[in-house]
Amino acid sequence: MGSGMNIGSDYSGTEKTEKTDKATLRHHILSRRKRIPAEECGAAGELLVRRFPAHMIQDGPTVAAYVSMGSEIETRPLLRWLLAHGCHVLVPRLGSGLEIGWSVLDSLESLRSMDAVGGANNAGSCSSPSTVHHGPDEPSSSTVHHRPDEPTGAVLPPEALEKADLVIAPALAVDPQGNRLGRGAGWYDRALARRKPACPLIAVCWPWEVLDTDLPAEPHDVPADGVLTPEGYRRLSSSGRLS
């Protein structure tokens, strides 16, 4: 993958400054994502598998990943590939009352729609209505209250992430330092505090969301060690976790 593309090229350079607040950047990125056709989300998901750094999943590791929703790149092809290569896969599990934990994903067939939780469909997203929902990293005050599809197995506590050898997390943008822009709730940053020191974090986003300039960072932000897009994989930090 080449040098990062700046989302600001589509919005009069607004995002080219480090001082741009996260809410404004988040709004612009989500607006652009809403224009992505559903078939492009699916095709991009297939490309993630081809670009994934396969050397990172040797010996059947535990991988904490996620089930895509809304305008995110489709992750089901990557989840299927991880399972086929002997990985023990964990995905976020909200449970009742948005008490987020984890659950083991044994197969894609075990996923069930959480659409019944309620909320309005987001017709602007590139996923089908059943997968347009509140994600673990999205503020609960949003008008959309749907959730990602979840496995039917047991809910595991937040501490389950301590077993992960690799974490794959969604991002709206990633800067050269690995700072990741989420949807605003900060759940992933809190969850990632539980990963073991040697566990690398890979952020997944669209190519134009890999920024050339720094994002506003806060003390609790957890930087990614690498970023995966349909165009390729790129190391970001010098933490040593990807040595």
Side-chain angles (χ1 to χ4, degrees):
M1 181 170 67
S3 61
M5 302 170 66
N6 199 301
I7 191 73
S9 62
D10 197 40
Y11 294 100
S12 304
T14 308
E15 289 73 34
K16 293 181 181 180
T17 173
E18 296 179 23
K19 297 181 180 179
T20 301
D21 68 276
K22 291 184 178 182
T24 300
L25 179 57
R26 191 176 290 117
H27 171 75
H28 286 327
I29 291 173
L30 290 172
S31 294
R32 177 166 180 171
R33 281 188 173 194
K34 288 180 180 180
R35 303 198 299 268
I36 302 173
E39 57 270 19
E40 187 172 339
C41 289
E46 298 291 345
L47 287 173
L48 287 185
V49 176
R50 296 170 57 183
R51 310 303 188 196
F52 186 81
H55 65 278
M56 298 182 68
I57 61 158
Q58 296 176 0
D59 303 321
T62 295
V63 178
Y66 66 99
V67 181
S68 57
M69 63 177 188
S71 58
E72 294 173 343
I73 298 170
E74 179 60 70
T75 61
R76 286 165 181 78
L78 180 58
L79 294 172
R80 184 180 295 109
W81 184 85
L82 291 170
L83 291 170
H85 284 75
C87 295
H88 183 71
V89 178
L90 302 176
V91 294
R93 184 74 176 269
L94 274 67
S96 61
L98 300 183
E99 296 176 356
I100 304 170
W102 298 88
S103 191
V104 175
L105 179 67
D106 294 318
S107 69
L108 295 187
E109 287 69 34
S110 71
L111 291 173
R112 58 173 179 168
S113 172
M114 302 304 294
D115 188 60
V117 172
N121 290 332
N122 181 356
S125 90
C126 68
S127 287
S128 61
S130 65
T131 55
V132 179
H133 21 242
H134 231 348
D137 214 9
E138 190 168 8
S140 58
S141 59
S142 169
T143 56
V144 179
H145 302 287
H146 294 191
R147 291 160 32 177
D149 292 351
E150 297 180 358
T152 55
V155 179
L156 304 177
E159 292 79 10
L161 191 65
E162 297 172 0
K163 303 294 185 181
D165 302 296
L166 173 67
V167 177
I168 302 171
L172 291 177
V174 179
D175 73 8
Q177 311 306 317
N179 293 309
R180 165 189 162 275
L181 180 68
R183 290 179 178 262
W187 178 81
Y188 264 103
D189 289 318
R190 294 191 295 274
L192 290 171
R194 297 183 180 275
R195 64 180 175 150
K196 54 190 175 185
C199 176
L201 166 64
I202 296 177
V204 176
C205 62
W206 292 94
W208 55 83
E209 295 165 354
V210 181
L211 308 182
D212 293 321
T213 54
D214 293 343
L215 284 165
E218 300 175 39
H220 66 267
D221 290 341
V222 179
D225 301 289
V227 59
L228 177 66
T229 80
E231 291 187 355
Y233 173 74
R234 172 178 164 187
R235 290 181 59 171
L236 291 173
S237 78
S238 56
S239 66
R241 282 186 289 263
L242 293 178
S243 300

